[in-house]
Each structure stands twice: as C-alpha cells, then as structure tokens.
Amino acid sequence: MTGDYTVEWTRPETQREGTPLAVLLHGHGANEQDLLGMVPGLPSEFTYASVRAQVSMGFSAYTWFDLDVERLAYSSAAARQAVDDLWEWIDSVRGQHSSVTLIGFSMGMAIATSLLRSRPEAFQAVVGLSGFAVDPQRGEGIEGFFDDEALRARHIPFFWGRDQADPIIPEDMVEYTHRWANSTVDLTKVLYAGAGHGVVPQEISHVGEFLRMAVLGRRVSPQRSH
C-alpha cells in the first residue's frame, strides 16, 4: 500500500535542514503517538519523525503487515511490501538531513532491521527494542532483498534492548535475531529485567547514550551484555 504517511515531527520543516533524522517505527496495534514519549529522554540535536503504519486495525490501531497474533506468524513477503512502501517516504525526506537513524519497537524493529538489510548504506545507526528481525525463510518473495554481506562490511552500530523474559516475542525469533545481529552489525545488546514487552526509563537513557556515541560522535556507551 503506497501513498502518504501520517508522520508526527518534533521540528517544523523550516528547522529540519542539516539535522540528524531519527525515524520512530511503532509496534503492532499502535500508532505514531506511541513512541513519542521517549523523545524527551533522547538527544535534542535530532529531528524525530514518528511514522504511522498504513494497515488499519480500527480504533486508532495500525500494523505494518498482517500478523497471526496467537502464533506471531507472518509472511516475509508481506514484510517486504511494507518496507518497499516505506522506502518511498524515507527517500523523500532523507536528503534534508545529515544522517538517518531508525528506532523500532516490536514489529517496528522488524521493519527497521529490514530497511537496514535492504539498503545498508542509507543509515547511520539502528535501535531495536523488544522486537525481532525478519527471517527470510518465512514465506516467498524476499529472496535477494536483504544484502547482509554489504551490511556486514559497513559495521553499522546497532542497539538491541529487551527483557529476557519478554512474554510476547517467541524464543525462536529471538534466537534468529541474535544470530543475525551477531554476524552482521556492530551490536550493543542490553537486557532489562522487568521490562516485559515494553521500554523502561533506564533503556531510554541508554538509547540516548548510544545515539550520542554512534551518530553525534560523543564517547559515551551503555554497558554491553551479550
């Protein structure tokens, strides 16, 4: 589904030129308001753009692609279509900014990692929270779409925050994501006990430190846990 996206911006258009852009990608059943509460805890140098997924679930709830919630089953081809559609919007705004970073929560992390894997050269850094990376074996139509070899060569900084006891993301998705991330990106992985399927204040603080280090160049880094 192509077309215009509903986007919540933290700066007016006249103040965005030359700033680093961070694109916020919400989870299944949420909307563009969902991740804006993180912004006050993140570096003010960025322009933040929170994008609403285009598949409506009713009652102000949206999803990036269809998902069997009970089994968390999905088609990688459906994920690819969502990413293809989002590229049109990203390409329309990225030239105004000094860099582009992605911040995705839950299914939004699946979209963020898929964008990164399809065009690694386009991004400065990526943050994934309580989510997963798309397994190309889950369905047809995604063969050749990801370029993990090119991604591996670029050493993109990647922050992955989650609770080891996350009740939503199945273990097989976590294991696949862990294998993929360890082999392709410059991984900072931090576990947050008690976060569940959510984001806690300490995590937001760590994401802010990561953005300062990976994008703004300040030497501050959260503790790593592999």
Side-chain angles (χ1 to χ4, degrees):
M1 181 190 301
T2 59
D4 294 334
Y5 283 84
T6 297
V7 182
E8 197 72 37
W9 293 88
T10 60
R11 293 179 190 266
E13 188 170 3
T14 55
Q15 297 177 16
R16 298 174 199 163
E17 186 71 36
T19 61
L21 174 65
V23 180
L24 305 177
L25 303 167
H26 65 75
H28 176 77
N31 59 44
E32 72 281 5
Q33 300 296 320
D34 190 55
L35 298 181
L36 289 174
M38 295 176 56
V39 170
L42 302 179
S44 60
E45 291 92 335
F46 284 78
T47 294
Y48 297 90
S50 191
V51 184
R52 179 197 292 175
Q54 288 192 309
V55 181
S56 175
M57 301 172 62
F59 302 103
S60 299
Y62 297 84
T63 185
W64 298 99
F65 51 86
D66 290 334
L67 184 72
D68 181 332
V69 177
E70 289 187 7
R71 299 183 297 120
L72 252 67
Y74 65 91
S75 162
S76 58
R80 173 176 180 167
Q81 185 61 59
V83 170
D84 276 339
D85 294 344
L86 193 53
W87 264 121
E88 184 176 345
W89 176 80
I90 290 175
D91 282 338
S92 74
V93 300
R94 62 193 300 262
Q96 190 175 9
H97 297 275
S98 58
S99 64
V100 181
T101 294
L102 304 172
I103 302 175
F105 172 77
S106 194
M107 182 187 278
M109 177 176 165
I111 295 295
T113 51
S114 296
L115 287 164
L116 175 66
R117 297 167 79 181
S118 63
R119 283 168 55 182
E121 75 285 353
F123 302 107
Q124 180 74 22
V126 175
V127 174
L129 305 173
S130 301
F132 60 96
V134 168
D135 184 346
Q137 300 303 312
R138 287 178 177 253
E140 303 291 332
I142 205 165
E143 298 82 1
F145 184 56
F146 293 154
D147 193 349
D148 284 343
E149 288 299 319
L151 176 57
R152 185 175 296 112
R154 298 190 73 86
H155 305 284
I156 300 293
F158 187 95
F159 181 96
W160 184 16
R162 58 180 294 270
D163 183 352
Q164 195 150 352
D166 187 323
I168 301 297
I169 307 300
E171 188 60 31
D172 64 318
M173 288 188 180
V174 173
E175 289 176 357
Y176 170 80
T177 303
H178 199 271
R179 290 194 305 272
W180 166 78
N182 273 324
S183 66
T184 57
V185 293
D186 184 4
L187 177 63
T188 297
K189 177 186 167 190
V190 187
L191 300 176
Y192 299 93
H197 190 66
V199 180
V200 294
Q202 184 186 33
E203 189 172 7
I204 296 172
S205 176
H206 285 169
V207 170
E209 292 170 1
F210 171 81
L211 293 176
R212 290 183 184 95
M213 177 187 68
V215 181
L216 303 180
R218 300 176 190 167
R219 292 296 174 186
V220 182
S221 177
Q223 181 179 356
R224 289 171 182 244
S225 173
H226 295 287

